Structures are given as structure tokens and as C-alpha cells.
Amino acid sequence: MRPVPTSEIKYGLFHLPHAPSVKIAYSFYDAPQSGLPVVMLSNSLSSNFKTLWKEFVEHFRDSYSIILYDQRFHGESPLADGFDYYGKGLTFEELADDAAAVLDHLGIARIHAFVGLSMGATTAVVFKARHSARVGKIVVAGSGLKSAAPGSEDVFAPRIKIATEGPDGMANLAQLTLARWFPGDPGKKFLDDHPIRRDEFVTMLRDATAEGFVACIRALQNFDLTPSFDKIKQRGESKDVLLVAGAMDGPLPDANKSMAKLSDANLAIIEESGHIVNVQKAGEFNELVDKFIA
């Protein structure tokens, strides 16, 4: 990434007021005295902001002030003593309130847009429902509506097993995750054509902690966005929501079509893309977001 010409990069690490043992790392691309609208970005499971959003920041940093942060126990947000990672884990209500705490720490009352990917996209919906006065538009990329119904297959159980089997668990999971994130021939071609980005993603996945991985999976195993979408719809804010899915991202395209009908939100399906649409199809994704939040 080239040096930022107009922005001052602020980096920090702070204790959450509502969970004092937990620290959250953030970076703020801000152009002092510019009055630029603020956009906040929220990460997927097993990722960190330094790797995940490079293309987005490159595209938007001269038009918006950008907040990036690592969700609990991911990236540079460290593990916390005494936390029940493998049992209770986390909820999306907690993760949404963590995002609000980042804004409080930076002294920002309201952001122009919240853009989330995967787990971060689910966080964006809950944030909009719980903190409506603090955000304008949200971009929900790669989220489903709810976790698997009781008695149905839990897709996360095999991943937890691999991740927690010894010190190399997350490294063993990395290649499986990469193949799932960038599926099929288009995904393989992207990774082959972008070896530096491929290696950055592998390193990111290997460096993720099993504790943080499982703690956030507990949120993904126990969520339902229906009440959040109902609140957004009742407030007349449905058109403040853009749902985005990669056409090759398993069941998520169909799930997002159903979510759009339920919520009256805007919908975009990005062809020949898997889960990490903001990277694999960065140009198309950024153009969609640009037009939506303008």
C-alpha cells in the first residue's frame, strides 16, 4: 500500500468499558480538519484489518475517513485472561456493542456507513438495529439470516475440531478455509494471479488464534437476524441496507435473496466470486459500495 497522501493514520489499543479485561485494536485513516464522512469496516472470522481491507482502503481513503478494528481476540486485539472462549464464547450483541465502544473511544457520535464482511456483516446488522442513531447506511457482505436450526448439521463443528487439535490446528485449517473462501476455478485463478495476496491470507489464517476463532464461532452458532431486520424495517430504514453475496458462496446467494424479501433491503449478487467479495472482486464491490453510500 502506498503512503497515504492526505490521511493521518491513527493506531490504538484500548480496554472495552463493558468488558475491562478485553482490549480492541483499531486504525483510523483520518484527514484532519477535512470533515470527511466516516466509514467503519468490520472483519470476517479468522481475519485482521491489516490484511482484509487493503483494496477497500486504497479505493476510499481520499473520499472518506476510515475506521478499521480487529474484533475480539482477532488480529492485534489480544486474548483476555479468564474468558470462556470454548464455552459461552461471544454473541453478536456483544460484538455490535464493541463497535460502538470503538466509536466512543474515538469521540465519534455517528458514522456515515458501516461495511461488514461475513461475521462483520452480521455485526453490521445488529449494530444498525441496536445503535440506529449512530449509523447511516450498512453494507452486509456474506452474511446469512440465522444459524443452523437445532438438529441440523453444524458446519462449524469439524472446523473447531481441526482448529483445536494441537498447536498446528489453525495452520491445518488455513488451506481449507482459503479454498472455501475462494472456491472453484475463478477462486483458484484469483489466488494464482495474486500470489502476494494469497500468501498474506494464508499467513493471516495461520496466525489467528484458536481461542478467538471458537469464541466468535459461538456467536455464529447462535444468531438470528430476523428481529434486527424487523426493527430496521419498522423504523423505515430498510433502504439503508445493501446485501451483497458472491454468486459462488455456497447457499448465501439464495439466503440473501430471501433476506432481501424479508427486509426490503437492497441486494447485489457478484458473479464469479466466493466469500471474500471485497478482495476477489474488489473493483465491482467498491463500485457497488461507492454508489450506495454516496
Side-chain angles (χ1 to χ4, degrees), residues 1 27 29 41 43-58 68-70 74-76 117 178 181-182 190 195-208 276 278-280 282:
M1 188 180 295
S27 184
Y29 287 76
L41 309 179
N43 302 346
S44 62
L45 184 69
S46 297
S47 68
N48 61 65
F49 69 71
K50 288 186 175 180
T51 302
L52 189 63
W53 296 105
K54 285 187 174 182
E55 293 83 355
F56 188 98
V57 171
E58 180 77 13
L68 306 100
Y69 73 103
D70 282 331
H74 279 64
E76 295 189 28
L117 177 71
L178 199 67
W181 279 0
F182 296 91
F190 175 84
I196 293 176
R197 289 299 271 146
R198 178 196 62 212
D199 292 347
E200 288 174 341
F201 268 79
V202 170
T203 298
M204 176 186 75
L205 291 166
R206 287 175 174 171
D207 288 348
I276 312 298
N278 63 306
V279 175
Q280 187 176 353

Side-chain angles (χ1 to χ4, degrees), residues 181-252:
W181 279 0
F182 296 91
D185 290 338
K188 183 179 184 302
K189 184 177 187 307
F190 175 84
L191 295 174
D192 288 344
D193 290 347
H194 300 84
I196 293 176
R197 289 299 271 146
R198 178 196 62 212
D199 292 347
E200 288 174 341
F201 268 79
V202 170
T203 298
M204 176 186 75
L205 291 166
R206 287 175 174 171
D207 288 348
T209 67
E211 293 92 340
F213 177 73
V214 176
C216 287
I217 277 181
R218 296 303 184 218
L220 289 164
Q221 289 175 318
N222 294 283
F223 80 96
D224 184 353
L225 291 180
T226 307
S228 293
F229 277 124
D230 285 346
K231 288 181 182 178
I232 293 168
K233 189 173 182 178
Q234 288 166 10
R235 292 194 295 250
E237 297 172 346
S238 295
K239 294 309 176 186
D240 289 339
V241 181
L242 173 62
L243 305 173
V244 182
M248 301 180 68
D249 194 8
L252 286 185

Side-chain angles (χ1 to χ4, degrees), residues 246-294:
M248 301 180 68
D249 194 8
L252 286 185
D254 287 340
N256 274 254
K257 290 173 185 176
S258 298
M259 288 162 62
K261 290 180 181 178
L262 170 73
S263 64
D264 290 336
N266 304 280
L267 172 66
I269 305 295
I270 297 182
E271 297 299 325
E272 296 191 341
S273 182
H275 197 52
I276 312 298
V277 291
N278 63 306
V279 175
Q280 187 176 353
K281 291 289 185 174
E284 189 171 343
F285 179 81
N286 291 339
E287 183 179 355
L288 279 170
V289 174
D290 218 346
K291 290 179 179 178
F292 180 67
I293 70 175

Side-chain angles (χ1 to χ4, degrees), residues 35-41 53 56-57 59-67 110-116 124 128 135-141 239-244 266 268 284-294:
L36 290 176
V38 179
V39 175
M40 189 172 199
L41 309 179
W53 296 105
F56 188 98
V57 171
H59 181 84
F60 285 99
R61 66 185 174 191
D62 290 334
S63 303
Y64 295 91
S65 293
I66 302 174
I67 301 170
R110 179 178 171 87
I111 56 176
H112 180 69
F114 192 123
V115 180
K128 178 72 171 174
V135 62
K137 296 185 176 182
I138 63 171
V139 178
V140 182
K239 294 309 176 186
D240 289 339
V241 181
L242 173 62
L243 305 173
V244 182
N266 304 280
E284 189 171 343
F285 179 81
N286 291 339
E287 183 179 355
L288 279 170
V289 174
D290 218 346
K291 290 179 179 178
F292 180 67
I293 70 175

